[in-house]
Each structure stands twice: as C-alpha cells, then as structure tokens.
Amino acid sequence: MSGDEAEAKGASERVPEPSGVDLARVALRAAREQARARGDAAQQKKQARRGGGLRSGAGADGRDPLALGAAINRLLTERGWEAPAAVGGVMGRWPQIVGEDVAKHCVPERYDEEERALIVRCDSTAWATNLRLLAPTLVARLNEDLGHGTVRLIKVLGPGGPQRRYGPLRAPGSTGPGDTYG
C-alpha cells in the first residue's frame, strides 16, 4: 500500500459510524421535509378548489352574507313566488285598496294562481252583489299595483250558512235549520 492509500484508509476508519442519536436526527430531518412537502401539496389543493387562491376582499362575493330582505327577494325569484307574494301583500293592504266601508264587509280569502283569481268572501248577500258590480274596477286597480295580468277576475262568495251540526237530536234526512219536517 502506498502512503496515499493508507492515509485514505485511515481517514475512512476515523469517520465514526452514525450513532443512535445521529440516526434519530437524520430521520427527524427527513420526516420534517416530507411533512412540509405534504403540507404544501394540501395547501395547493385547497387553493385550486377556491379558485386559484383568490380570497374575498372588499368586492362583493357569492359567499358574502345577505340582508334579510335581499335573501327573501332572491328566494321568491328563484322559486317563482313573486305573484303569490305580491297578492299576499295586497291582502294585507286590502282596506287601502278597496276602502274602509268595503273592507269591513268583504275579506280576501285566497289567491288561485292557476286561474289568477282573487277569492273574496262577503258577510252579506247585499255586499256580495255590490262587490260583483265593483269587480272590474277592482281588477284594474289591482293590476295597476301588481302588474298587468296578475289578477284576471275576482270571485265573490256570499256569506256561509251556519255550520251543519250532526248529533242525536237531528232528524234523519233533514236539510238544515229551515227544514219543517213535513
């Protein structure tokens, strides 16, 4: 062996093999690098899902909270409930639309969306007749307020009779309180 070879052999013998503590440090460093690489990959996936890492700033975004009125308007528009909701508002303002005298005796019951008819119940047949005569004027006034064609007709219902009671003191086959039994 030459001197250089002996020197190289001695140098390799002098470098100690890594001990348990050194092996633990190397393993810990490798684990940290792998974790960092996994974390960077997960962060990139999140940013890709969010749209390239763009964040909501001062500008409006679809994720921003809405005011209650705006949220309700959006819901009505999405579901196609604008006309029934508008007619519901008319039912709340009925006295202002028809006048106090008529409102005392005639009450809107419901809105039939298929027929576009507003069903109104009156407390007497005289008021029902009066409202039938006023119906074309009311339809025009309602359509000015709600939009053309929202209400096509007003169905006027007279007063309902007394409820029919069934019980042990009723004669079989009787037609109601006006029955004279013979």
Side-chain angles (χ1 to χ4, degrees):
M1 274 199 206
S2 71
D4 291 329
E5 289 176 353
E7 197 173 307
K9 186 177 178 186
S12 65
E13 288 177 9
R14 278 187 247 141
V15 176
E17 292 284 325
S19 65
V21 173
D22 293 330
L23 287 173
R25 284 186 185 142
V26 169
L28 180 62
R29 187 178 308 127
R32 283 183 178 162
E33 288 175 6
Q34 289 174 354
R36 187 176 299 121
R38 281 194 310 266
D40 289 343
Q43 185 67 22
Q44 287 173 355
K45 280 184 182 178
K46 283 182 185 178
Q47 286 178 351
R49 271 187 263 144
R50 285 190 209 145
L54 297 176
R55 296 178 185 235
S56 178
D61 190 358
R63 299 175 291 163
D64 291 341
L66 294 174
L68 181 61
I72 289 173
N73 287 337
R74 189 166 114 190
L75 178 69
L76 291 174
T77 304
E78 287 174 357
R79 304 278 169 105
W81 294 341
E82 293 100 349
V87 173
V90 164
M91 290 181 181
R93 295 180 290 123
W94 183 251
Q96 290 86 19
I97 293 170
V98 297
E100 292 294 326
D101 290 339
V102 176
K104 287 179 188 175
H105 300 283
C106 303
V107 179
E109 284 192 346
R110 65 184 183 277
Y111 175 69
D112 186 358
E113 192 172 358
E114 289 179 13
E115 294 182 20
R116 295 186 180 191
L118 181 64
I119 291 89
V120 180
R121 175 148 331 255
C122 297
D123 62 359
S124 71
T125 55
W127 277 103
T129 302
N130 190 19
L131 193 65
R132 283 186 190 101
L133 294 173
L134 291 173
T137 308
L138 287 177
V139 168
R141 194 179 301 171
L142 290 170
N143 284 329
E144 283 177 14
D145 193 28
L146 301 173
H148 182 67
T150 305
V151 177
R152 289 186 186 161
L153 66 119
I154 294 179
K155 288 187 178 180
V156 181
L157 304 176
Q163 290 184 350
R164 188 166 173 163
R165 293 178 289 185
Y166 295 96
L169 300 177
R170 302 289 299 172
S174 89
T175 58
D179 193 356
T180 60
Y181 305 106

